[in-house]
Amino acid sequence: MSRVGKYPVIVPEGVKVVVEGNLVKASGKLGELSHTFDADHIAVEVNENKVVVTPKLENKHSRALWGTTRANINCIVKGVHDGFTKNLELVGVGYKARVEGSNKLVLSLGFSHDVPVEAPKGIKVSCPSATQITISGADKQLVGQFAAEIRKFRKPEPYKGKGVKYEGEYIRRKEGKKK
């Protein structure tokens, strides 16, 4: 069993954390995020520069929520201070990406047409090169979800490895047809 819930969440300099009922709000240089928790099972306290999460009841459900709530609060604190980033790579002949305007990503993925994708509010998209996409933002879930939606347009296939993949992702290759 994990003991993640035992450790307090350290609040870095420049981040303000407030608990109001069953809502934890964190604000920092990258914006403001909030997380709702189950106040019947979990108690959250802010002491000086750390947030302490404790279970109210001694049962399996409270213990499970304890670690999850602590991890979610840690994600919002880290998100408003440092932010999160996902890097994608395009592999394939003619596969490329570009950013138009402030938040519109246009993908060329071998279809007969380009695929335009609007980035959600709070997400910043950039293309350091034609075959790389960098997605960044304060909300970890939103960054990961947007990266997964882009990857879904053309998942890497196992024969040549063509498609949209995460940076550093290993694509298991299959052997082609025998002659």
Side-chain angles (χ1 to χ4, degrees), residues 1-35:
M1 179 186 334
S2 176
R3 303 277 190 247
V4 172
K6 287 193 320 186
Y7 304 109
V9 176
I10 304 300
V11 180
E13 191 85 19
V15 176
K16 183 181 176 193
V17 178
V18 178
V19 178
E20 299 171 350
N22 67 340
L23 185 71
V24 177
K25 290 183 184 178
S27 58
K29 63 183 177 187
L30 295 179
E32 184 176 315
L33 293 174
S34 62
H35 173 70

Side-chain angles (χ1 to χ4, degrees), residues 27 58 91 103 161:
S27 58
E58 285 299 323
V91 179
N103 66 343

Side-chain angles (χ1 to χ4, degrees), residues 94-98 100 105-117 153-154:
Y95 287 17
K96 56 189 170 197
R98 67 182 185 277
E100 289 182 355
L105 181 67
V106 180
L107 303 167
S108 297
L109 297 173
F111 299 122
S112 61
H113 58 282
D114 289 346
V115 180
V117 184
F153 286 115
R154 182 75 83 173

